[in-house]
Amino acid sequence: MRITAVSPKLKELPDIRNRAGFRAVFTLTRTMVRFVIFIIVLFVYFRCARYSEAKNRSQDPALIADRMVRKTRLSRYICGALPRNIAVAAVLSVVNFAHAADITLMNRGESVVVHAGDGSYEIGQQNHLVIHARVAVKMDHTWITSSDYPAHHVSESSFSDTLGHGRTVTVQCTGLPSRPELTYVIRLYDNIDAGDITVRVQNHTGKSVTVQSIRSVEALGDRPLKTGDSESSDRVLSDSFSEDWPPLKIYDLNQAPGGMLRAVGSQLIYNQRSRQSIFFGALSSDRFLTIMHLKVNPDVMHQPGIGSFTVDSTGTTEIQATDPESGLRDGPAKNLLELSLPLDPGSEIDSERLMFALGNNYYAILNTYGDAIRLLHHSRSGTGPMLGWWSWTAFYSDITEGNSWSNAQWLAEYLKPLGFDYFHLDLGYAYARGEYTTPNAAQFPNGLAPLVRKVGSLGLKMGFWTAPFEVSDRSWVYEHHKDWLLHNSQGEPINIGIGDEAGKEVLFILDVTNPDAQEYLRATYRTLAKDWRATYIKLDFMDNTAVEGNYHRPHTTALEAQRIGLQIIREAVGEHVLLDKDGSPMLNPVGLVDEGRLSQDTGHTFLRSKEAATGIAARYYMQHNFFLSDPDALTVSRQLIEERQIQAPLTLEEAQVSVTLAAVSGGMFEIGDDLPTLGKDAERVALVTNPDLLQMIRLGKSSLPLDLMTYRHEDEQPGVFLLQEDARQAMLAVFNWTERSNSHAFSFSDLGLQPDHHYHVLNVFRPKEQSRFNSTGLQVEKLPVHSVELFKILDDSIPAQPPSVVAQVPTNGKVSQDLLFTAAAPDSPVPAIAYHWDFGDGVIADGATLTHAYTHGDSFVAHLRVEGVDGLSFEKDYPVIISGSMAVPVPKRYLDDTTKSSAPK
C-alpha cells in the first residue's frame, strides 16, 4: 500500500487535499468490493469442487450415468476450469489494484495524479484539472501509447537536482513481449511551481526497432486543455523553430492558421477571462527537436475549442518540409529524410526533458523557465553591453573596403566615446559561403588584413558574419571535397536552396561529424579569431542547415550535428570571442554562444520594426538566461536602401520606434545606418546618443512587456514595455503599431509602482511637452500612428542615491607586476552602469575587473568612479604602494585553449 506524503505547506490548500482524499477513499472502496467478489468466487469454486469429488466417490448407477454426462467438455469447464480461472483472475485483480494505487504529488501550486490502471497522468491546480494525458512512442512508423500496454508498474520517490528538490513518480509500461517497454518519469518540484516529464524507450526484445518520435504529452478527453473558462478566450504564444521560422506571432484561438498552432521549444496558453496559464517548455535539446501541436476543433470555429494537444521529441523534417523559409520545402522529396533511429536489443533512448507549469502569473512561469535554462545549460550570460555598427542594413551585400573604412572612422570619432566600439562586417566581405577566410577581391581588393589593422588602430573591435554550416557551389569545399557534405539516402549532397544575397550560390550543408570537415571548420574560425582579430562572430542560417540526413557519424540527428559544430567553433576561437546565434533553434546553442537573435530582420521601414516587436516582447525572459539578447540592428537615418520595396524614408517618429525597440531588449545596440549619411541629420544622431536610451542598454535588463498576453484587440500585438531601473525610477515605452491613433491610461498600480507615492513624469523624446499624469496615473492620449512615447517616471518619495560598491584593490605590489582591480555592486539598491579607474600614474581605463602594472616604484592613489542609474556616482581613492621589482621568470611557450592541441612536442 502506498501513502502519498503531503507537504506542510499544502495545509492552506484544502481543495487539493479533498481531491486527494476522495481518490484515496475511492481506491480503498474499490479494492474492498473486489475483495468481496474474490471471496464469493472462492466459495463457489470450493462448492463445485466438493460436489465433483462426492460424485466421483459414489457407485450408484444413476450417479455413474450422471458422472458420464458431466465428463463432457462443457461440464468440465463449468465446474472445473471456470471457477479456477475466475479465482485466479480475482486474485490477480486484487493484487494488481492493491499494488497499483493512484499516486498524487502536490506542491504549492500544482498537483500531479498518476493512474496506475492505464498509465495516464493528470496535471492540475487546486481542484481544477488542467490536462489528462498519456505518453507514446512512434516505433517502426507505428504509434504505441502507454495505454496499449496491459501492465503499469508505478513507484514513487524523492529527488534533488540543479533546480531543486521534490517528489517523482516512475511509470513502467510493460506486457507487450514483442514491443520495447515504455517508461516515463514525472516530477514535481517543492521549491518552484513547476514539474517535468521524461520518457524512455527500453528495448528488452530480441530484435531491433526504429524510433521516429517520442511523445511526452498526448492529451485525452473532449477538452484536452482546460484553462478555467471558455476556450474561445484562449490566447496562445508559440515559440518558433528559430527567431523567424515562422515569424513569432501571438494568436487568439480563432485565429489559428489552418486550425493549428505549432510551437517549437515552448508554448504558453493563456485564458483572458480566467487569467490562468498552461506552459510547456523543453529543458533539453540533446538529440531531438521538441514540437507542440495544438489543433483547434474545426467543428466549432465560431466558438473555437481545442481539439487535440501533443508534445513530441522528434527530428527537424516536419519544420523543413513546411516552413516557407526552408529551402527543402519545395525541393525534391528525396532530401526530406524522416528521422529514424535504430534501437538495438538491450539499448534505450530518452525523450527531451519537458517542463510544465500552471498559474495565474505567466511572467513568473516564463521567468522560472528562463532561470531553469540558465542553470541547466550554464549559459554564457555574463556579457556586458554591446554597442556598435554593422554593415548589413547600411549597405546590404554592397559593402566595400572603402565604405566600411569610412564608417569605421566616423564610429571612432563620434560614437566610440559613448561606448560604441564594435565594428561588424556582414555578408559580402567573403568570396563564398563556407569560405570565410578568402576575401571577396571584387569589393576588398587589398584583402581584409589591411582593413582589420586600421580598424584596430582606432580602438574598435572587429566582428564578422558567417553561416558556419552552409557551403556554396563556388566554395573550395564544394569544388574539392563533396564528401564533406551532408548526403541523402541516394548518396547525393543535400541541396538546401539558393542564396542570392551576394551573387547566386547553390547551397549545401557541411557534415560536421566528418573529421576532415571538422578540421576545416576549426581552421576557418581559428583564422578569423587569430589572424583577423575577430572579437565577435555572428553564426547565421543554422536553421537552414539543421537537416536530418546521412551523416558521417551514423545515426546522428540534425541538432546533435549542430551542437558538435558549435562546440568545434567555440574551442577554435577560445573563451573570449563573442559568438552570436542568428537563424537557429533557440535552445540548442545555449551554453556555447554569448548572444542570440530574438526576432526577425529589421530594416529601414516601420513594418520591419512592427514584425520584429513581438519576438522581442515574447522572448524577454531569454535575456541573460539563454544569452545576451540580440534584437537586430536599429535604423534611424533617411536611407532609401532596403531588401523590400520602400516607398519613403523613415519618419522621425518611425526612427524613434526603431531605437526604442532595440533599447527595451536590454541587449545589443547596433546601428544599421551608413554613419556619414546619418551624421548629416543631427536630430537623428541624437536618438542613438540619447542618455536615457543608452542607460537602458548599459543596465542590461530587458523591459517587461506589460501586455504580452493581454494586449487589446485593436492594438494588434504587445506594445507596452516597463523597465524598473531601480526603486526610484522606471522607463515606460508605449508603441502604436496600428494605422490609427490610440490612447492608453495607466494607474501607478498597473505599472507595479507604489500608489501612495508622489511621481513626476518626463517625456524622453519631447522633454518640453507636459505629460498628462496625476496622483493616480498616466494618460497617453491620441498616440499617432507608427510612433512611440517613452516616459521616465521618477518617484519623488525616494531620494537619488549613488550605487553601493564593493572594491578589491591591492594595497601594495612590485614594479611590472600584474595587479587585479575589481569592483561590483551586487547588493546595491541602485544598479551600477559604468566603472571608471584612474590608476594614479596617468593611465585610465573602464571596466569592473581590470589588471594594471605600475612601471616604477612610488606611492600611488587609484581612484574609482562608478556611475549609478540615479545619476549619482560612487567615488573613492585607494592608496597603492609599489616597491621593488618582480623577478622575471624563465621563458616558456605560450599555449592558449586554441593552440594546445597543435603545439610542437
Side-chain angles (χ1 to χ4, degrees):
M1 181 175 179
R2 303 181 187 279
I3 300 176
T4 302
V6 179
S7 169
K9 295 180 180 179
L10 297 176
K11 293 180 180 179
E12 61 190 33
L13 301 177
D15 290 329
I16 294 180
R17 295 201 313 272
N18 289 343
R19 185 172 176 222
F22 171 78
R23 290 191 176 280
V25 171
F26 175 79
T27 301
L28 179 61
T29 303
R30 180 176 58 186
T31 303
M32 292 177 64
V33 170
R34 291 181 179 273
F35 181 73
V36 171
I37 294 174
F38 167 64
I39 296 298
I40 294 173
V41 170
L42 284 181
F43 175 77
V44 172
Y45 168 71
F46 285 115
R47 291 288 294 178
C48 288
R50 291 180 61 187
Y51 177 76
S52 177
E53 183 180 358
K55 295 294 185 183
N56 286 335
R57 287 198 303 266
S58 174
Q59 300 300 315
D60 185 276
L63 292 178
I64 292 174
D66 180 67
R67 186 166 63 241
M68 295 298 292
V69 174
R70 290 187 178 275
K71 284 185 177 180
T72 64
R73 183 175 301 175
L74 179 61
S75 63
R76 286 202 308 271
Y77 177 73
I78 293 174
C79 291
L82 180 60
R84 290 187 179 92
N85 291 342
I86 293 176
V88 170
V91 171
L92 292 177
S93 176
V94 171
V95 171
N96 179 60
F97 277 92
H99 174 74
D102 294 351
I103 293 181
T104 301
L105 306 178
M106 293 170 287
N107 64 14
R108 293 170 299 181
E110 291 109 345
S111 66
V112 170
V113 179
V114 176
H115 298 296
D118 61 0
S120 65
Y121 62 89
E122 295 179 6
I123 302 172
Q125 189 176 37
Q126 297 185 9
N127 64 342
H128 172 56
L129 171 65
V130 173
I131 182 172
H132 179 204
R134 62 188 177 190
V135 303
V137 59
K138 191 177 183 181
M139 290 184 294
D140 296 333
H141 308 281
T142 300
W143 281 104
I144 305 294
T145 73
S146 53
S147 303
D148 295 328
Y149 289 82
H152 304 90
H153 306 281
V154 181
S155 60
E156 181 184 0
S157 61
S158 61
F159 74 91
S160 178
D161 67 6
T162 303
L163 302 183
H165 54 84
R167 302 292 295 175
T168 181
V169 177
T170 301
V171 182
Q172 294 176 289
C173 307
T174 62
L176 296 178
S178 62
R179 293 290 187 179
E181 294 181 358
L182 194 59
T183 299
Y184 72 90
V185 176
I186 189 165
R187 310 191 305 174
L188 198 60
Y189 287 90
D190 290 332
N191 56 302
I192 58 175
D193 290 331
D196 62 41
I197 183 169
T198 306
V199 183
R200 173 169 293 173
V201 185
Q202 299 170 299
N203 190 358
H204 296 312
T205 71
K207 63 177 183 178
S208 295
V209 299
T210 58
V211 174
Q212 290 75 45
S213 184
I214 305 175
R215 179 164 290 172
S216 304
V217 180
E218 182 177 297
L220 304 172
D222 296 334
R223 295 187 61 198
L225 296 175
K226 304 169 184 64
T227 52
D229 209 308
S230 170
E231 293 173 11
S232 61
S233 299
D234 286 349
R235 182 169 278 178
V236 184
L237 167 56
S238 304
D239 211 345
S240 311
F241 175 54
S242 66
E243 68 270 8
D244 58 358
W245 275 38
L248 196 150
K249 296 182 180 180
I250 299 171
Y251 290 99
D252 290 344
L253 209 60
N254 62 357
Q255 299 171 324
M260 184 179 74
L261 294 170
R262 179 194 290 116
V264 176
S266 68
Q267 193 164 48
L268 174 70
I269 302 99
Y270 171 77
N271 189 280
Q272 298 171 76
R273 291 183 180 177
S274 70
R275 300 184 180 180
Q276 295 295 314
S277 296
I278 309 168
F279 176 82
F280 292 92
L283 290 174
S284 65
S285 181
D286 297 331
R287 302 188 77 179
F288 298 110
L289 197 66
T290 298
I291 302 181
M292 293 85 171
H293 297 94
L294 190 158
K295 294 184 179 179
V296 178
N297 191 334
D299 297 330
V300 288
M301 287 301 292
H302 61 285
Q303 196 64 235
I306 298 174
S308 65
F309 178 75
T310 58
V311 182
D312 296 335
S313 294
T314 188
T316 62
T317 304
E318 176 184 340
I319 305 300
Q320 296 290 350
T322 57
D323 196 280
E325 293 293 323
S326 170
L328 295 181
R329 188 183 75 157
D330 299 321
K334 62 184 177 181
N335 288 337
L336 287 167
L337 279 67
E338 181 184 22
L339 181 66
S340 190
L341 298 176
L343 191 64
D344 296 328
S347 60
E348 60 189 29
I349 188 171
D350 288 352
S351 71
E352 299 301 335
R353 185 175 167 188
L354 181 72
M355 172 182 152
F356 58 84
L358 313 173
N360 59 7
N361 185 340
Y362 57 79
Y363 298 112
I365 292 174
L366 294 174
N367 292 339
T368 296
Y369 180 56
D371 290 342
I373 296 300
R374 184 187 72 254
L375 294 170
L376 292 173
H377 296 271
H378 309 287
S379 61
R380 300 171 64 89
S381 57
T383 304
M386 284 189 62
L387 297 85
W389 175 85
W390 81 331
S391 65
W392 182 244
T393 50
F395 300 107
Y396 292 102
S397 58
D398 293 335
I399 184 174
T400 67
E401 183 177 352
N403 60 32
S404 59
W405 173 237
S406 295
N407 275 270
Q409 292 174 292
W410 203 99
L411 181 69
E413 178 69 21
Y414 298 104
L415 296 178
K416 180 174 174 288
L418 297 175
F420 290 84
D421 56 359
Y422 281 89
F423 181 78
H424 169 195
L425 294 181
D426 211 272
L427 190 153
Y429 73 88
Y431 169 66
R433 299 199 199 192
E435 196 173 332
Y436 303 110
T437 56
T438 302
N440 176 6
Q443 293 164 235
F444 292 82
N446 297 306
L448 266 295
L451 178 64
V452 166
R453 285 194 296 270
K454 291 193 295 182
V455 169
S457 71
L458 298 176
L460 301 177
K461 303 171 183 176
M462 280 301 307
F464 294 98
W465 172 93
T466 65
F469 311 128
E470 283 190 338
V471 174
S472 95
D473 59 344
R474 67 170 181 243
S475 69
W476 181 88
V477 169
Y478 185 83
E479 291 176 346
H480 296 89
H481 285 287
K482 293 184 180 65
D483 56 311
W484 293 2
L485 304 178
L486 181 63
H487 291 71
N488 60 25
S489 298
Q490 285 72 45
E492 303 164 342
I494 295 177
N495 174 0
I496 57 171
I498 305 294
D500 56 6
E501 292 89 349
K504 183 178 180 180
E505 297 178 272
V506 182
L507 301 176
F508 301 89
I509 303 170
L510 185 71
D511 181 353
V512 294
T513 68
N514 183 305
D516 294 327
Q518 290 178 350
E519 187 52 41
Y520 176 82
L521 188 69
R522 189 174 292 112
T524 295
Y525 283 88
R526 189 176 292 153
T527 297
L528 291 174
K530 295 291 185 181
D531 301 342
W532 290 13
R533 304 178 186 178
T535 58
Y536 162 85
I537 300 175
K538 179 187 282 190
L539 308 172
D540 203 353
F541 291 121
M542 294 190 291
D543 40 17
N544 279 358
T545 55
V547 171
E548 308 298 345
N550 290 327
Y551 287 90
H552 181 272
R553 192 187 81 171
H555 315 310
T556 298
T557 70
L559 294 191
E560 282 181 299
Q562 183 182 99
R563 189 81 183 175
I564 290 169
L566 289 172
Q567 185 67 51
I568 291 169
I569 293 171
R570 171 53 69 193
E571 293 171 354
V573 302
E575 292 297 312
H576 302 294
V577 174
L578 302 179
L579 299 178
D580 185 2
K581 171 218 85 71
D582 194 354
S584 86
M586 304 305 291
L587 177 58
N588 205 45
V590 174
L592 293 172
V593 301
D594 304 275
E595 297 89 25
R597 273 283 296 277
L598 297 182
S599 64
Q600 296 171 254
D601 289 356
T602 55
H604 295 272
T605 67
F606 170 77
L607 181 59
R608 290 278 203 170
S609 295
K610 179 180 180 179
E611 291 173 341
T614 301
I616 292 171
R619 298 180 176 120
Y620 80 91
Y621 63 90
M622 294 185 181
Q623 167 75 335
H624 291 308
N625 283 324
F626 284 52
F627 27 61
L628 181 75
S629 296
D630 175 2
D632 208 21
L634 61 97
T635 52
V636 297
S637 76
R638 301 176 190 266
Q639 277 184 271
L640 286 171
I641 181 172
E642 175 59 42
E643 290 179 298
R644 307 177 185 181
Q645 186 176 4
I646 185 169
Q647 304 296 332
L650 288 171
T651 66
L652 179 62
E653 290 75 17
E654 291 171 338
Q656 292 168 351
V657 166
S658 179
V659 71
T660 306
L661 186 62
V664 298
S665 78
M668 295 176 65
F669 202 65
E670 282 190 312
I671 303 172
D673 295 300
D674 173 43
L675 295 178
T677 299
L678 174 62
K680 297 186 301 181
D681 196 331
E683 194 173 28
R684 299 188 181 221
V685 172
L687 293 178
V688 299
T689 61
N690 183 284
D692 290 309
L693 289 169
L694 293 180
Q695 179 161 295
M696 293 173 72
I697 293 298
R698 290 180 179 135
L699 184 60
K701 292 171 57 179
S702 58
S703 300
L704 189 69
L706 294 183
D707 59 345
L708 177 61
M709 303 299 288
T710 59
Y711 60 88
R712 302 174 304 190
H713 288 283
E714 60 267 26
D715 293 332
E716 301 179 8
Q717 63 186 53
V720 181
F721 294 79
L722 179 74
L723 177 62
Q724 188 72 55
E725 294 186 331
D726 68 355
R728 181 176 181 268
Q729 65 187 46
M731 303 297 294
L732 176 68
V734 184
F735 293 87
N736 184 356
W737 301 116
T738 73
E739 299 301 319
R740 57 191 176 279
S741 64
N742 61 23
S743 301
H744 296 266
F746 305 99
S747 71
F748 290 124
S749 296
D750 293 338
L751 302 178
L753 306 176
Q754 295 293 331
D756 56 343
H757 286 203
H758 182 267
Y759 300 90
H760 72 274
V761 180
L762 303 175
N763 190 315
V764 172
F765 295 131
R766 283 167 285 281
K768 296 181 180 180
E769 182 176 301
Q770 184 69 33
S771 299
R772 296 178 59 84
F773 75 97
N774 53 38
S775 59
T776 60
L778 173 69
Q779 289 77 43
V780 181
E781 295 186 354
K782 296 182 179 180
L783 184 62
V785 300
H786 298 196
S787 70
V788 62
E789 292 281 20
L790 182 62
F791 300 101
K792 186 173 186 177
I793 304 173
L794 298 169
D795 187 341
D796 295 328
S797 306
I798 301 175
Q801 302 176 55
S804 301
V805 176
V806 177
Q808 298 292 330
V809 178
T811 57
N812 56 74
K814 297 182 180 299
V815 173
S816 299
Q817 179 183 1
D818 284 334
L819 302 177
L820 181 65
F821 295 75
T822 67
D827 301 317
S828 175
V830 178
I833 56 174
Y835 296 80
H836 309 285
W837 296 87
D838 182 337
F839 295 108
D841 60 352
V843 177
I844 59 175
D846 297 334
T849 301
L850 298 171
T851 58
H852 180 67
Y854 292 91
T855 60
H856 62 279
D858 206 341
S859 294
F860 300 93
V861 176
H863 181 76
L864 170 65
R865 182 171 69 88
V866 182
E867 298 178 43
V869 297
D870 285 359
L872 301 180
S873 295
F874 167 94
E875 297 195 49
K876 189 173 181 179
D877 292 334
Y878 301 88
V880 182
I881 299 174
I882 302 298
S883 61
S885 298
M886 187 183 72
V888 178
V890 297
K892 72 177 181 178
R893 177 177 285 112
Y894 170 74
L895 298 175
D896 66 12
D897 293 338
T898 68
T899 56
K900 287 178 181 178
S901 60
S902 58
K905 306 299 183 186

